[in-house]
Amino acid sequence: MKQVSNMANTSNGSLATLLILFTVSAAIHTGAAQFPVQSQNLISDNISVVEGETATISCRVKNNDDSVIQLLNPNRQTIYFKDVRPLKDARFQLVNFSDNELRVSLSNVSLSDEGRYVCQLYTDPPQEAYADISVLIPPGNPIIESREDIVREGNETEITCTSMGSKPAATIKWMKGDKELQGKSKVEATYDRMFTVTSWLRFTVTKEDDGVPVVCIVDHPAVKDFQAQKYLEVQYKPEVTIKVEFPQGLIREGENLELTCQAKGKPQPHQVNWVRVDDDVPSHAVITGSDLFIENLNKSYNGTYRCVASNSVGETYADYILYVRDALTTTPKPTTTTTTISATTFPPDIIQDAAPSTEAAAHDSQAGPEAQRLDHAVIGGVVAVVVFAMLCLLIVLGRYFARHKGTYFTHEAKGADDAADADTAIINAEGGHNNSDEKKEYYI
C-alpha cells in the first residue's frame, strides 16, 4: 500500500507540475494577446534544414533579468520550460541552458516539423521571438530524354529534363559542351507540397555537335552539381578532300599523277567515284577505290577531275584542276670561237652576258618558252658584239691607210745600174734633167 501510495503521489506531482506549466503558458499567451509584442530583448533565427538532418533552435536574451525562457512548437505546445522538457518527443534535446540562452536540437527532421517555433520570455509584458523552420527536400535524380536518338545535320532536336519531388521547386539550366543554352521550364505542385519541374530545350544541330554532351543541371538548396547528360549523335554528309600523292610541285609532260580522295561522314560514305568534268577520264587511267592514277601525262589531259562521295544523308564532292606544263628541255652549250682583234677590248659585263647560263637551264620554271627566249637573247647579244667589233676594226684600218702615202717609182734612175759612179749615172740617166717635164709618176 505504501508503494502504491508513493506512485500515486509521484503521478499527482507530475500532473500538478504539467498543469502549472500549461496554466502559466496560457496566462502568458493571454497577456501577449492583450499587450503589443516586443522582441527587442529576445532574439531567434530562421532555420533551413534538409529532411532527415538536425535543426538547432536558439532563443537568446540580451541583458536578462532572471526572466524564464521557454520554447513552444507551431501548435504552441511547450517543448522546453527552462531546462525541463514537458513534451514527450525524444527528438528534442537540450543543447544549452543559461540565463541568456535556451538552445534545443531537433533530429531527424521531417516535413511535418516545418512551421513557426516560438521563444517566450516571462517579462512584463511577456516577449516573443520566432524561429521559422523550413524543411528542404532534395529532388530525385533528373531524367533526361530526347525526341530522337539520331539527328541529321540541319534538323531541330528537342531534349527534356525532369526533376521530381523537391521542396522548394528546383531550377534547371542547360549546357551544350561549354556553352549555356536557354530552355523553357514548367513547375507543377503536387498534393504533398512537393514540386515537379520540367524543362525543354530545342536547337538546330550541326555536324560539329556530333559526340557533344548536352547536360541538364538541377539547382536546389539541398543539393549541388545534380545533373544528367546525353551525348548527341548527328549524321552528316561526307566531307571530301583531294590529296596529291605525286608529283610534288609543278606537273609536266611525261610525268605520272596519283590522287587520293579522302571522304569522311556519318555514316561513312558507301560510294566514292572519280569523274572528269565536261569530258571523259583518260582511257588508260586506273581507278582503285578512292585513288586515281594517270601515267605519262600530256596536255590533252588538262581539265577538272572531281571526286564524288555519298552516304544516306547526301552527296558532296571536291575538284582538282590538272594543268600539265611543257617538259623541261636541256639547253646545249654553244661552241666557242676565238677571234683575235687588235685594239679592241670587250667590257666585263658583255663577256659575262655572252657566257652560257647553266643556272637558267637547271631552274624548273613554270613556262618552257621562257628558257628558249633567254637562249635566243644570249645568241643575239653575241652576234651583235661580233658585228660591232668588225665595224670598229674597219674604221681603225681605214684611218691607218689614210695617214700613210703609197710607194711609187720614177725613170730618173734609169741607167744607174750600169754606171761606174754617181756622176756617170746622172749623165747616162734617160732623159736627164733636160727632159724633166716628161717625167711621169705612177701611184699605186
Side-chain angles (χ1 to χ4, degrees):
M1 287 293 294
K2 185 177 181 179
Q3 183 177 2
V4 172
S5 176
N6 290 336
M7 292 177 60
N9 291 335
T10 303
S11 176
N12 292 334
S14 299
L15 291 175
T17 301
L18 290 175
L19 182 61
I20 291 172
L21 290 174
F22 283 115
T23 302
V24 172
S25 175
I28 293 174
H29 180 65
T30 303
Q34 295 176 354
F35 299 97
V37 176
Q38 298 179 1
S39 303
Q40 53 187 344
N41 292 326
L42 187 61
I43 302 172
S44 186
D45 301 314
N46 295 331
I47 305 165
S48 294
V49 58
V50 178
E51 184 182 30
E53 296 184 359
T54 300
T56 301
I57 307 170
S58 176
C59 301
R60 300 182 300 281
V61 182
K62 293 182 179 179
N63 303 321
N64 190 12
D65 55 355
D66 295 331
S67 298
V68 176
I69 307 172
Q70 74 167 349
L71 177 64
L72 309 178
N73 65 11
N75 296 324
R76 302 198 70 87
Q77 297 172 334
T78 301
I79 301 173
Y80 266 92
F81 183 84
K82 301 180 67 173
D83 57 348
V84 178
R85 177 170 56 84
L87 189 65
K88 297 186 180 299
D89 189 340
R91 296 181 304 151
F92 290 98
Q93 294 294 325
L94 183 65
V95 177
N96 180 49
F97 175 72
S98 65
D99 291 339
N100 298 320
E101 183 183 31
L102 171 62
R103 189 189 313 166
V104 178
S105 66
L106 172 60
S107 61
N108 194 21
V109 176
S110 65
L111 190 60
S112 61
D113 296 322
E114 191 174 64
R116 170 168 288 187
Y117 289 75
V118 182
C119 296
Q120 282 188 345
L121 182 64
Y122 286 101
T123 58
D124 186 17
Q127 298 182 26
E128 290 187 353
Y130 305 104
D132 293 329
I133 293 183
S134 299
V135 179
L136 307 178
I137 301 178
N141 292 329
I143 302 172
I144 187 169
E145 298 174 319
S146 60
R147 188 169 55 190
E148 57 275 307
D149 294 331
I150 300 176
V151 190
R152 287 194 173 186
E153 176 188 12
N155 291 348
E156 185 181 71
T157 188
E158 179 179 289
I159 303 178
T160 304
C161 182
T162 304
S163 173
M164 297 184 296
S166 67
K167 180 181 177 300
T171 58
I172 295 176
K173 67 177 183 179
W174 294 93
M175 296 291 293
K176 185 183 74 170
D178 56 356
K179 181 180 179 182
E180 184 174 355
L181 301 180
Q182 295 296 326
K184 184 178 180 181
S185 298
K186 178 182 178 182
V187 179
E188 295 178 332
T190 59
Y191 67 93
D192 52 356
R193 294 187 292 170
M194 303 288 189
F195 296 92
T196 296
V197 182
T198 304
S199 181
W200 296 270
L201 178 66
R202 294 185 182 93
F203 62 94
T204 302
V205 299
T206 64
K207 60 185 177 183
E208 288 78 13
D209 293 329
D210 184 48
V212 175
V214 176
V215 184
C216 162
I217 302 175
V218 178
D219 188 15
H220 190 271
V223 292
K224 299 296 182 183
D225 297 329
F226 209 29
Q227 62 185 29
Q229 67 180 11
K230 182 178 181 62
Y231 288 90
L232 294 172
E233 185 173 354
V234 182
Q235 291 185 341
Y236 53 90
K237 295 186 294 184
E239 297 175 323
V240 182
T241 57
I242 297 176
K243 179 182 178 182
V244 181
E245 300 293 345
F246 60 82
Q248 300 297 327
L250 300 177
I251 300 175
R252 301 187 180 278
E253 289 183 319
E255 295 180 337
N256 298 333
L257 173 68
E258 182 175 355
L259 303 176
T260 299
C261 181
Q262 299 175 336
K264 177 185 177 182
K266 191 169 185 180
Q268 277 296 112
H270 56 77
Q271 189 174 7
V272 177
N273 294 326
W274 280 99
V275 296
R276 185 178 178 186
V277 180
D278 299 332
D279 206 342
D280 296 331
V281 176
S283 58
H284 67 283
V286 178
I287 299 177
T288 305
S290 60
D291 296 336
L292 172 65
F293 178 77
I294 306 175
E295 62 178 358
N296 195 19
L297 294 171
N298 60 59
K299 292 186 177 181
S300 64
Y301 299 156
N302 289 345
T304 302
Y305 292 80
R306 176 171 294 174
C307 171
V308 183
S310 60
N311 59 10
S312 59
V313 181
E315 178 182 284
T316 53
Y317 64 86
D319 289 338
Y320 174 79
I321 300 176
L322 174 62
Y323 181 73
V324 180
R325 293 171 172 80
D326 294 330
L328 285 176
T329 58
T330 303
T331 305
K333 294 184 179 180
T335 59
T336 304
T337 303
T338 303
T339 304
T340 303
I341 302 174
S342 61
T344 302
T345 303
F346 289 96
D349 55 346
I350 297 179
I351 296 175
Q352 183 177 355
D353 292 340
S357 176
T358 57
E359 182 181 357
H363 182 66
D364 184 14
S365 60
Q366 287 193 348
E370 292 182 2
Q372 296 178 359
R373 287 196 295 269
L374 180 59
D375 295 339
H376 294 165
V378 172
I379 295 172
V382 172
V383 172
V385 170
V386 172
V387 172
F388 178 78
M390 293 297 295
L391 290 176
C392 292
L393 179 61
L394 291 177
I395 293 172
V396 171
L397 291 176
R399 291 179 62 85
Y400 177 80
F401 286 116
R403 291 184 179 182
H404 297 82
K405 294 182 179 179
T407 304
Y408 62 91
F409 300 93
T410 65
H411 294 279
E412 293 177 350
K414 188 175 179 180
D417 296 336
D418 298 333
D421 51 27
D423 295 334
T424 304
I426 295 173
I427 295 171
N428 294 336
E430 184 178 351
H433 292 282
N434 299 324
N435 300 324
S436 59
D437 54 343
E438 295 179 1
K439 205 179 288 186
K440 295 182 179 180
E441 294 181 358
Y442 298 90
Y443 174 74
I444 299 176

